[in-house]
Amino acid sequence: MAEIIQRDGTWTFDGETVRVVPGGKAHPVRLALGELAVPVEALAGISFEPERKGGRLRLRLRGGACPVLRAADGRLKDGADPYVLTVEKDRTGVAEYFVDEVRNALLIEQVPDGPVDRFLLPGPALPVSGGGGDGTASFDGESVRLTWNWKAEESKTASGPATLPLARIAGVRWLPALGLENGYLRFEPVDGPVSAPPKYDPYSLELWGMSRKEYTAVVVAAAVLARLPQARTAVDGPAGPPALTKAPATAPAALPPADDHDVLLRRLRELGELHRAGVLTDEEFSTAKQAILSRM
């Protein structure tokens, strides 16, 4: 078991799952997400980035594995990213050990670092709510509800809170406020996108970037994205038309038990072939071999 405890969170690794638990003063997005269990098969890599006063642990997930990252589409700052942990100076050795343990597991399991065609994480727990700006969005698994505050335009407040059943949602887009440009959380109905700007769109929140809590709108976007039917799931890309993402059709297949003797023998043979082919260095082969032998 590898574990690192820091002020903004705790990470543990048992050989199969990285558990990410936010600290009490973590970013509102991390607190809204709560504990995350990241299976090894969802990981593309891990790194420790040293800095003058410590550093950062960073998990790199395979493309499409996490609905939160898919909804954010690269727009989360490090402070809000649940897969980044700030490491204090006196814990850099622990962080490096943590990296070695996860990398060894990735090597043993031979996890590819390419994208996946389904979510490998379930998405935020329900019910969930978040946002800011001119209102708040909530989602209970069946419907999205948009509740307006006094800052919202009359075109939104005149008809009261807006409710959109999941069956009527074709896609969801999240864009944080950037500089002087407002952001938004927009839900697209199946009968066609609304042409009005988010400020006047009854199915959109306008986000002004006045508070870190506005970032929690991405948690709502991820919860909806993870539960949309497979056919039409949309999230904005940084440029061009919205990228399409399939929702998970089935749960990922279970891996064989870690202590299955035949499985471990097969992995030893595969590691030997990779070593002879020059894919693994002597040091990498020795480390992975010892890790497998210790589990036998």
Side-chain angles (χ1 to χ4, degrees):
M1 172 78 74
E3 180 179 62
I4 180 167
I5 303 173
Q6 295 294 273
R7 285 180 294 183
D8 65 343
T10 299
W11 288 12
T12 59
F13 180 59
D14 61 3
E16 297 179 352
T17 303
V18 177
R19 295 195 177 275
V20 176
V21 181
K25 295 184 178 180
H27 191 283
V29 168
R30 294 184 176 186
L31 294 176
L33 289 172
E35 180 177 334
L36 299 175
V38 186
V40 167
E41 62 265 30
L43 294 175
I46 184 173
S47 62
F48 175 63
E49 303 164 359
E51 298 175 352
R52 186 169 62 88
K53 295 185 178 181
R56 296 176 188 273
L57 267 177
R58 189 183 301 273
L59 285 177
R60 184 164 61 88
L61 272 66
R62 299 171 66 188
C66 174
V68 176
L69 296 186
R70 186 65 187 88
D73 205 9
R75 298 186 179 102
L76 278 181
K77 299 178 180 178
D78 279 355
D81 190 331
Y83 304 116
V84 177
L85 181 69
T86 300
V87 178
E88 298 170 14
K89 190 174 183 179
D90 62 346
R91 290 293 182 269
T92 57
V94 178
E96 291 170 348
Y97 171 75
F98 195 97
V99 168
D100 288 342
E101 289 294 293
V102 174
R103 284 180 176 171
N104 287 342
L106 290 173
L107 188 61
I108 292 170
E109 301 291 346
Q110 298 186 42
V111 178
D113 61 2
V116 296
D117 60 0
R118 65 186 186 277
F119 292 132
L120 300 181
L121 278 80
L126 300 177
V128 64
S129 64
D134 63 356
T136 302
S138 59
F139 178 57
D140 61 4
E142 297 182 357
S143 298
V144 169
R145 182 178 174 85
L146 301 176
T147 305
W148 314 114
N149 58 35
W150 63 273
K151 306 170 192 174
E153 292 292 321
E154 185 177 354
S155 59
K156 292 182 175 180
T157 61
S159 56
T163 300
L164 194 60
L166 185 64
R168 288 192 56 215
I169 298 176
V172 54
R173 306 180 184 188
W174 174 76
L175 179 71
L178 300 172
L180 298 178
E181 295 292 328
N182 292 339
Y184 58 80
L185 173 64
R186 168 170 265 168
F187 300 95
E188 293 188 349
V190 294
D191 51 359
V194 177
S195 58
K199 183 176 182 178
Y200 303 103
D201 179 2
Y203 299 130
S204 297
L205 292 184
E206 190 175 36
L207 306 174
W208 301 326
M210 303 296 290
S211 167
R212 294 196 309 168
K213 288 187 177 181
E214 286 189 27
Y215 267 78
T216 56
V218 73
V219 180
V220 181
V224 173
L225 182 65
R227 293 162 178 84
L228 278 177
Q230 186 174 355
R232 299 174 65 187
T233 303
V235 181
D236 253 352
L244 297 181
T245 302
K246 290 183 178 180
T250 58
L255 293 176
D259 57 356
D260 187 307
H261 192 266
D262 291 338
V263 172
L264 295 178
L265 285 176
R266 186 175 70 249
R267 287 175 182 160
L268 272 176
R269 289 194 296 270
E270 292 169 346
L271 286 172
E273 292 172 0
L274 292 173
H275 181 235
R276 287 190 293 274
V279 176
L280 298 179
T281 66
D282 292 344
E283 182 180 357
E284 290 172 335
F285 173 68
S286 177
T287 300
K289 179 180 176 181
Q290 291 303 317
I292 291 178
L293 291 176
S294 68
R295 298 170 70 180
M296 294 179 69

